[in-house]
């Protein structure tokens, strides 16, 4: 922790991949059509009664998804280098392991927590994860899911200390 918040370090390659995932997440929550199961997982029913749940969703879904997009924008911008998004395909191999230092204010740390948790929910939906102990033997997408979980856990621990 610093006086302004939390300092986090990622390799440029990690930051580029995370930036890409967060950008895709932003696209998902800003261009949703209401039928995507991942978006529905981000905005679960608040009531058991289907009519009440539908009315609540109608009144709150756009605002909730707008806040998720705003949080994702905070995360993506904090992963920029020299004011530009990182692109894993354009990184020089020798620079890929260079470190990006991200200094998070308390508000930005909150955006990171909410975005990583939401991104993990979307990945879980896409992968069909219904149980925390589920593993996809040999499926590299599960590695991304686990890595997001690891980053989320490290952020929670750092904020707790």
């Amino acid at each position: 922790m610093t006086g302004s918040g939390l300092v986090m370090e990622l390799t440029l390659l990690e930051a580029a991949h995370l930036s890409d995932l967060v950008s895709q997440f932003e696209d998902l929550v800003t261009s949703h059509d209401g039928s995507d199961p991942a978006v529905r997982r981000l905005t679960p029913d608040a009531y058991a009664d289907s009519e009440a749940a539908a009315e609540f969703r109608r009144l709150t879904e756009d605002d909730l998804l707008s806040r998720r997009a705003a949080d994702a924008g905070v995360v993506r911008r904090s992963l920029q280098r020299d004011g530009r998004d990182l692109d894993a395909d354009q990184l020089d191999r020798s620079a890929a392991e260079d470190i990006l230092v991200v200094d998070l204010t308390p508000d930005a740390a909150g955006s990171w927590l909410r975005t990583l948790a939401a991104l993990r929910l979307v990945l879980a939906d896409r992968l069909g994860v219904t149980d925390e102990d589920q593993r996809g033997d040999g499926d590299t997408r599960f590695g991304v899911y686990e890595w997001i979980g690891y980053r989320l856990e490290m952020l929670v621990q750092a904020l707790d200390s």
Side-chain angles (χ1 to χ4, degrees):
M1 295 281 278
T2 66
S4 62
L6 174 73
V7 173
M8 193 169 63
E9 295 182 349
L10 298 105
T11 66
L12 290 181
L13 186 59
E14 285 178 307
H17 285 302
L18 184 56
S19 179
D20 183 48
L21 286 170
V22 171
S23 180
Q24 290 177 50
F25 176 76
E26 276 182 291
D27 290 345
L28 176 70
V29 297
T30 57
S31 64
H32 72 93
D33 66 3
S35 65
D36 189 318
V39 172
R40 292 202 47 92
R41 194 163 182 179
L42 294 173
T43 58
D45 287 338
Y47 301 101
D49 177 315
S50 61
E51 285 184 33
E55 180 65 8
F56 184 80
R57 180 179 303 281
R58 185 184 68 76
L59 294 171
T60 62
E61 184 176 58
D62 288 341
D63 182 56
L64 177 59
L65 293 176
S66 291
R67 285 185 280 141
R68 289 197 184 277
D71 281 340
V74 168
V75 173
R76 190 180 42 72
R77 284 186 300 279
S78 67
L79 292 168
Q80 290 179 335
R81 185 174 185 196
D82 301 326
R84 295 189 333 227
D85 288 343
L86 293 168
D87 183 342
D89 294 331
Q90 294 181 354
L91 282 178
D92 181 335
R93 284 182 179 242
S94 62
E97 294 302 314
D98 287 353
I99 300 297
L100 177 70
V101 177
V102 181
D103 189 4
L104 300 176
T105 64
D107 286 343
S111 291
W112 269 75
L113 286 171
R114 290 184 295 273
T115 299
L116 290 179
L119 183 54
R120 198 155 190 260
L121 281 174
V122 169
L123 287 170
D125 182 78
R126 297 292 195 247
L127 294 170
V129 173
T130 57
D131 183 315
E132 188 61 34
D133 294 328
Q134 216 170 339
R135 301 280 186 261
D137 295 334
D139 188 337
T140 56
R141 297 173 305 163
F142 277 84
V144 173
Y145 173 78
E146 294 295 330
W147 180 77
I148 297 292
Y150 165 77
R151 278 293 173 186
L152 182 58
E153 182 178 341
M154 293 297 103
L155 184 54
V156 168
Q157 287 177 1
L159 291 169
D160 270 351
S161 62

